Amino acid sequence: MEFSLSAFNNLPAAPRAEKRPFADTRHGIARTDDYAWMRDDNWQAMFKDPSVLDPAIRAHLESENAFQKTAMADTEELQKTLFAEMRGRIKEDDSSVPAPDGPWLYGVRFVTGGEQPKYFRTPRHGGKEQITLDGDLEAEGKDYFRLAGTGQSPDHGSMIWGYDDKGSEFFTLKVRDLSTGQDHDDLIENTGGGGAWSADGKGFFYTAVDDNHRPSKIYHHRIGTPQADDRLIREETDSGFFMSVGGSRLDDFIFVTINDHETSECWVMPADDENASLRLVAARETGVEYSLEEGGDVFFILTNADDAKDFKIMQAPVGAPEKANWEEVVAHKPGRLILSVSAYRNHLVWMERENGLPRIVIRDRTTGEEHAIAFDEEAYSLGFQGSMEYGTDVVRFSYSSMTTPSELYDYNMTTRERTLLKRDEVPSGHTPSDYVTRRVMALAHDGEQVPVTLLYRSDTPLDGTAPCLLYGYGSYGISIPAGFNTNCLSLVDRGFVYAIAHVRGGKEKGFGWYEAGKRERKANTFHDFISAARYLDSQGFTSHDRIVAQGGSAGGMLMGAVANMAPDAFGAIIAAVPFVDVLNTMLDDTLPLTPPEWPEWGNPITSAEDYSNIAGYSPYDNVSAQAYPPILAVAGLTDPRVTYWEPAKWVARLREFSTSGAPVLFKLNMAAGHAGASGRFQRLEEVAFEYAFALKVVGKA
């Protein structure tokens, strides 16, 4: 610990938050929260207008920013250097390979110096390019600006586009006439972003977000009419479920999906009749997930029904999609997780993962013949982009590894011809042979093998002297891909081992890997990460006091938990938008994400067992008098997912209890939300700050 502390000499006194005890008793258990006052009572209004934040809370948060700025002042030049390096690896005028859709090719590009994307299209068979949306132009004069993407109408005459200019994820939708480039007067506010077009291109369906930031209603909007006149299509009254809406590839169906983290329900209606009624496919059944993909005269259904934990593919007639009519197309195979399915006129395509590695499987819908696209590296990432067109034989996929920049391919599903369209450039230079990527297995506390992906320079000594950044997430079944990451090269080129611990709670080893890291078994996630750290130490990849642990959001909760459980296993910890006040958040059903999160964590309001389980690991509640390593927390003021007061309270409690004297820093972006800064280079500045902290604590600043 002394090694890390030496980097922070002569610091002024850290902010000390006032203690205002707030008592709460649940299930006969009394707790006192000294820092509950940091949660502003008018948080809903503050997300839309940050200026209304309680002045006392603002003053405390600004004192935190002033302290971290002082603590990191000696890294300002390093931050600039790191930023320049990372920016130098980006092709600033990069452009996507335009994708075909009807008479047009649609793409997106950045210009040199630009923060936001430009969307464009060109005639499919040649002609003048048209800029459909200039993100930099729309963002002018705004501290924060995030596009929600675009969606062209079936007749290619109009485009929906959306934006959030506060970071609170309340998106405003506009409609652009693509023949003139001008926006209609329509302004659709407080949406989830995006929409699904009616078949005639004269209106669209969208998700409305309520004051508690819950997507609970689907509306239909006719272009040229007030939002107040929009027709309500469906409302979800259970606050534990999200709603979303989308369209089919043939623009003939509208899909409404209602889901939480373990249960889903789908409704369908024709896209050419905005007044039609939704048709239920299968009523929600706790623990059963399914999704629809149009396949001409059938719907393909990806589902875990009937104990198919790693999912199977079914089909049903479009005129009778109810569960009684489902027929098996691809059987369930334990250990082979089917991730997604796409359908085209002649082929069925699905992404699957087995033994931790992804592959794309293609089936001829006439002959039933199958073949797979896979690669030979120890660890790699695949992405399936498919096609916007149903009648095509050509789809797109991307490939990368920790050492190989992303490559984009067109793939002919009939001839099996693979055409390289683009290989991402690293303008400042990149030689793959200078680096080594490996997949190793760490033995967990209960005998499980935890995959760990490593990247390091071929000349990095593996004798325990190398510092290490160890990243982890481990929630919601999200798998962390072993893809190319230009940012981490700034650490690796300075002698770091960059490691990803694929802990339980993700789906790297199948759905069972996810189940083994949620609710009452959540502690496995934390034990896995600690086991990965101790393995890297024991094998000489690094040493415990040179490991900088990093995670964000639910991965930030992981950081808080391992800090409490094994502070001696890490030299420092970086927690981004950290979900650390788990118990209080799950007890507050007015917060945006609380009811939909209960399937993931448990409901401590109604269940004493869930309360006890969450209380046993909630990072904020388990801070105790022990020697914590240096900790950096970063967050956004208007974040509706992990509210600002969670890390603010956690930092205050860490300062109160830590016996090490190690600094606890809190950097709060006062003009951003969960995703951090909105511009591509602004985001790099945040990464540079975090990496400067990592380099500082291991003596390489």
Side-chain angles (χ1 to χ4, degrees), residues 38 81 108 282 325 344 430 445 484 562 639:
M38 293 188 190
T81 299
V108 60
N325 300 317
Y344 304 93
H430 177 69
H445 68 289
F484 191 65
V562 301
D639 184 351

Side-chain angles (χ1 to χ4, degrees), residues 478-501:
I478 294 174
S479 300
I480 306 302
F484 191 65
N485 175 358
T486 59
N487 292 340
C488 73
L489 295 178
S490 285
L491 293 180
V492 173
D493 285 344
R494 287 173 170 81
F496 267 71
V497 173
Y498 184 84
I500 303 171

Side-chain angles (χ1 to χ4, degrees), residues 519-522 601 608-617:
R519 298 195 67 151
E520 69 276 4
R521 293 192 281 176
K522 189 63 205 171
W601 314 105
E609 182 180 354
D610 287 347
Y611 181 100
S612 176
N613 182 54
I614 296 171
Y617 67 77

Side-chain angles (χ1 to χ4, degrees), residues 44-55:
Q44 291 104 326
M46 191 277 295
F47 282 163
K48 296 181 179 180
D49 181 6
S51 69
V52 304
L53 179 67
D54 183 296

Side-chain angles (χ1 to χ4, degrees), residues 559-582:
M559 296 300 101
V562 301
N564 291 331
M565 294 168 63
D568 62 316
F570 307 98
I573 291 173
I574 301 172
V577 289
F579 177 38
V580 284
D581 195 13
V582 185

Side-chain angles (χ1 to χ4, degrees), residues 103-328:
W104 296 91
L105 300 170
Y106 288 86
V108 60
R109 73 160 58 93
F110 286 90
V111 299
T112 300
E115 293 276 7
Q116 300 287 342
K118 289 187 188 326
Y119 291 85
F120 67 90
R121 69 179 184 177
T122 58
R124 186 165 189 160
H125 301 294
K128 185 178 178 181
E129 176 185 284
Q130 176 188 1
I131 299 296
T132 57
L133 182 68
D134 184 336
D136 287 318
L137 182 64
E138 301 297 341
E140 279 185 5
K142 298 180 182 294
D143 292 333
Y144 181 95
F145 187 81
R146 176 185 167 195
L147 285 168
T150 65
Q152 61 267 21
S153 59
D155 62 4
H156 301 273
S158 301
M159 178 180 77
I160 306 169
W161 68 280
Y163 66 91
D164 166 23
D165 58 7
K166 295 182 178 62
S168 55
E169 299 182 42
F170 287 97
F171 287 92
T172 297
L173 298 182
K174 290 187 174 184
V175 181
R176 178 157 297 183
D177 184 327
L178 291 178
S179 65
T180 66
Q182 299 299 309
D183 289 328
H184 292 271
D185 292 334
D186 304 60
L187 201 66
I188 313 302
E189 297 181 306
N190 298 329
T191 80
W197 283 99
S198 304
D200 61 7
K202 296 180 179 179
F204 58 88
F205 301 82
Y206 66 93
T207 307
V209 179
D210 65 20
D211 287 341
N212 282 3
H213 211 276
R214 292 175 184 147
S216 57
K217 295 179 181 179
I218 304 295
Y219 284 97
H220 180 267
H221 174 76
R222 294 290 290 179
I223 296 172
T225 65
Q227 183 176 3
D229 293 345
D230 291 352
R231 177 188 171 226
L232 179 65
I233 301 298
R234 184 162 186 84
E235 179 176 6
E236 175 54 49
T237 58
D238 188 332
S239 61
F241 283 80
F242 293 118
M243 295 187 78
S244 62
V245 63
S248 63
R249 194 170 277 108
L250 284 169
D251 297 314
D252 53 356
F253 286 105
I254 298 297
F255 302 120
V256 171
T257 300
I258 305 170
N259 67 282
D260 61 15
H261 290 297
E262 64 178 18
T263 303
S264 56
E265 180 177 275
C266 297
W267 298 71
V268 63
M269 65 180 286
D272 61 357
D273 183 1
E274 66 189 62
N275 296 308
S277 298
L278 287 167
R279 181 171 187 167
L280 176 64
V281 176
R284 69 190 72 172
E285 182 181 342
T286 301
V288 176
E289 299 177 66
Y290 72 96
S291 59
L292 297 184
E293 171 73 8
E294 185 187 30
D297 58 351
V298 299
F299 289 128
F300 289 102
I301 302 134
L302 178 63
T303 182
N304 65 349
D306 308 314
D307 296 320
K309 285 189 176 182
D310 288 314
F311 288 79
K312 60 185 177 180
I313 301 173
M314 312 290 281
Q315 71 176 30
V318 294
E322 290 76 15
K323 192 174 181 181
N325 300 317
W326 292 6
E327 297 178 354
E328 186 174 273

